[in-house]
């Protein structure tokens, strides 16, 4: 089969609608409460007194749980990712998620039954990126509620999910530079984006200080910095210096794609400082497999490339 033949076969899937994937449980206040506690937000109710699910929970209701592909009875058995298998079979073995977008038509409240359907939206022309050569595949999941009063299913939101199915680029080891030949420039760490809102933070880091924005009106501490207090909406603020002590509230270990000059696997933590605010930082001085939630850490200011100072966190006994 020629490249043109198999891609014609793959593109025939575009527009295909896959069946329903049902939710195991009704939208319920217990899961909403737990979500809100973890995210640090308040539980809200509508005018009828029903608990409102935070919009970002939309995907959660129809997930299969810890066992892969364990969906409720009545869910479709179709594989909406079948086109990825076809592309993979023609020597595009790697997959990386590119981006996703959630949109919401209305609030979802306790007591509703949800499901979603999937549609293969598009397959791009062949593209070459820094990762390799392949195809961008876009799927759209539409979420519905069966609790509409008139008996008709009502759309409540949509997820657009895009992946890149690719053949990895060949990595060539450069030959040693000949005498007098210009050396290949070293790739530097990307510098943070500095604005009028966060300039004080990065200037403090250069001085070996971890500064936290504090509202002058209500005393609320918040990070990342912003022009207005998220609690009382005051524009008046100053800063306090953090002790730099905290715990690992959550973490991820980045494996791929490998982006120079970072080393991989790369543990990145959400650190809860003892003052109560959280910030994201690289974890150092620990093997990726040994990071644990609740682990005590201490800030360490590390300078890269001569002039870039970043706050990183090292575990302490």
């Amino acid at each position: 089969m020629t490249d043109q033949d198999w891609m014609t076969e793959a593109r025939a899937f575009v527009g295909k609608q896959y069946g329903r994937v049902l939710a195991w449980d009704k939208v319920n206040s217990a899961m909403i409460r737990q979500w809100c506690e973890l995210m640090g937000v308040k539980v809200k109710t509508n005018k009828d007194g029903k608990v409102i699910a935070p919009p970002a929970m939309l995907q959660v209701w129809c997930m299969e749980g810890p066992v892969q592909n364990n969906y409720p009875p009545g869910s479709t058995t179709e594989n909406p990712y079948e086109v990825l298998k076809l592309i993979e079979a023609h020597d595009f073995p790697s997959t990386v998620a590119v981006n996703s977008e959630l949109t919401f038509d209305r609030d979802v409240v306790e007591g509703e039954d949800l499901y979603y359907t999937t549609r293969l939206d598009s397959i791009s022309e062949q593209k070459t990126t820094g990762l390799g050569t392949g195809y961008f595949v876009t799927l759209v999941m539409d979420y519905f509620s069966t609790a509409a009063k008139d008996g008709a299913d009502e759309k409540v939101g949509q997820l657009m999910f895009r992946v890149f199915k690719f053949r990895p680029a060949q990595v060539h080891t450069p030959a040693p530079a000949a005498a007098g030949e210009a050396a290949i420039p070293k790739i530097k760490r990307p510098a943070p984006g500095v604005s009028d809102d966060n300039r004080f933070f990065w200037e403090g880091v250069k001085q070996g200080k971890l500064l936290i924005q504090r509202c002058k009106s209500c005393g609320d501490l918040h990070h990342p910095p912003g022009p207005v207090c998220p609690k009382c909406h005051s524009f008046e603020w100053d800063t306090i210096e953090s002790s730099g002590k905290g715990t690992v509230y959550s973490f991820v270990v980045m494996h791929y794609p490998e982006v120079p000059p970072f080393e991989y696997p790369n543990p990145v933590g959400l650190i809860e400082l003892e003052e109560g605010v959280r910030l994201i930082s690289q974890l150092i001085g620990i093997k990726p497999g040994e990071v644990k939630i609740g682990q005590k850490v201490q800030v360490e200011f590390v300078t890269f490339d001569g002039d870039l100072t970043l706050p990183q966190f090292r575990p302490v006994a």
Side-chain angles (χ1 to χ4, degrees):
M1 183 180 289
T2 66
D3 286 352
Q4 184 175 3
D5 289 337
W6 76 259
M7 183 45 66
T8 299
E9 181 183 348
R11 294 191 188 284
F13 286 95
V14 173
K16 181 175 179 179
Q17 190 83 27
Y18 296 84
R20 300 182 179 188
V21 173
L22 308 178
W24 274 106
D25 304 288
K26 290 179 181 291
V27 176
N28 62 84
S29 59
M31 290 178 66
I32 294 172
R33 175 180 55 77
Q34 292 172 23
W35 174 282
C36 290
E37 285 181 4
L38 288 171
M39 296 299 174
V41 298
K42 294 182 179 179
V43 177
K44 297 182 179 180
T45 58
N46 64 10
K47 61 181 180 180
D48 298 322
K50 290 189 174 183
V51 177
I52 300 173
M57 282 190 76
L58 185 59
Q59 289 177 267
V60 173
W61 302 110
C62 296
M63 286 183 174
E64 66 268 45
V67 179
Q68 189 174 14
N69 297 323
N70 182 30
Y71 294 107
S75 298
T76 181
T77 57
E78 296 177 295
N79 179 12
Y81 302 102
E82 58 184 333
V83 72
L84 299 184
K85 295 295 184 182
L86 177 59
I87 297 174
E88 182 174 309
H90 290 84
D91 197 25
F92 295 89
S94 300
T95 307
V96 62
V98 179
N99 63 303
S100 64
E101 295 177 3
L102 267 172
T103 56
F104 312 102
D105 291 59
R106 67 162 174 81
D107 286 329
V108 172
V109 299
E110 60 177 324
E112 294 192 76
D113 284 301
L114 303 185
Y115 69 87
Y116 72 85
T117 60
T118 303
R119 172 173 50 84
L120 177 58
D121 185 70
S122 64
I123 302 174
S124 74
E125 297 300 319
Q126 190 176 105
K127 305 287 186 179
T128 298
T129 71
L131 292 177
T133 299
Y135 301 87
F136 290 93
V137 179
T138 304
L139 298 109
V140 173
M141 291 78 164
D142 289 311
Y143 287 78
F144 296 88
S145 170
T146 61
K149 294 180 180 179
D150 59 3
D153 295 347
E154 181 182 3
K155 185 179 175 184
V156 295
Q158 184 180 84
L159 168 67
M160 183 280 289
F161 182 60
R162 181 174 294 123
V163 300
F164 184 44
K165 196 69 179 163
F166 64 100
R167 180 185 300 127
Q170 296 295 319
V171 179
H172 298 285
T173 303
E181 186 178 335
I184 298 175
K186 178 184 177 182
I187 297 178
K188 297 183 178 181
R189 284 210 173 208
V194 179
S195 68
D196 290 340
D197 294 330
N198 66 14
R199 194 179 311 279
F200 77 88
F201 178 82
W202 294 111
E203 289 178 349
V205 167
K206 286 183 178 180
Q207 300 170 20
K209 299 178 181 179
L210 196 61
L211 301 179
I212 305 174
Q213 191 173 44
R214 176 176 61 183
C215 175
K216 284 187 174 181
S217 297
C218 69
D220 183 62
L221 300 177
H222 44 269
H223 186 88
V228 62
C229 173
K231 187 174 182 180
C232 74
H233 302 156
S234 170
F235 286 89
E236 300 297 323
W237 59 271
D238 58 10
T239 64
I240 67 167
E241 183 177 352
S242 168
S243 68
K245 298 177 181 178
T247 57
V248 177
Y249 185 83
S250 183
F251 70 93
V252 296
V253 178
M254 303 294 295
H255 291 271
Y256 200 82
E258 295 186 358
V259 179
F262 300 98
E263 296 180 357
Y264 292 84
N266 180 16
V268 179
L270 176 60
I271 308 302
E272 184 168 76
L273 298 174
E274 62 179 13
E275 290 81 9
V277 301
R278 300 170 190 158
L279 74 162
I280 297 173
S281 176
Q282 189 174 21
L283 296 168
I284 59 176
I286 187 171
K287 295 179 180 178
E290 296 178 356
V291 181
K292 292 181 175 61
I293 290 176
Q295 204 161 29
K296 294 184 181 298
V297 291
Q298 173 71 49
V299 72
E300 192 169 300
F301 298 96
V302 184
T303 300
F304 299 91
D305 308 316
D307 59 355
L308 175 63
T309 303
L310 299 174
Q312 300 184 320
F313 284 83
R314 181 184 296 274
V316 295

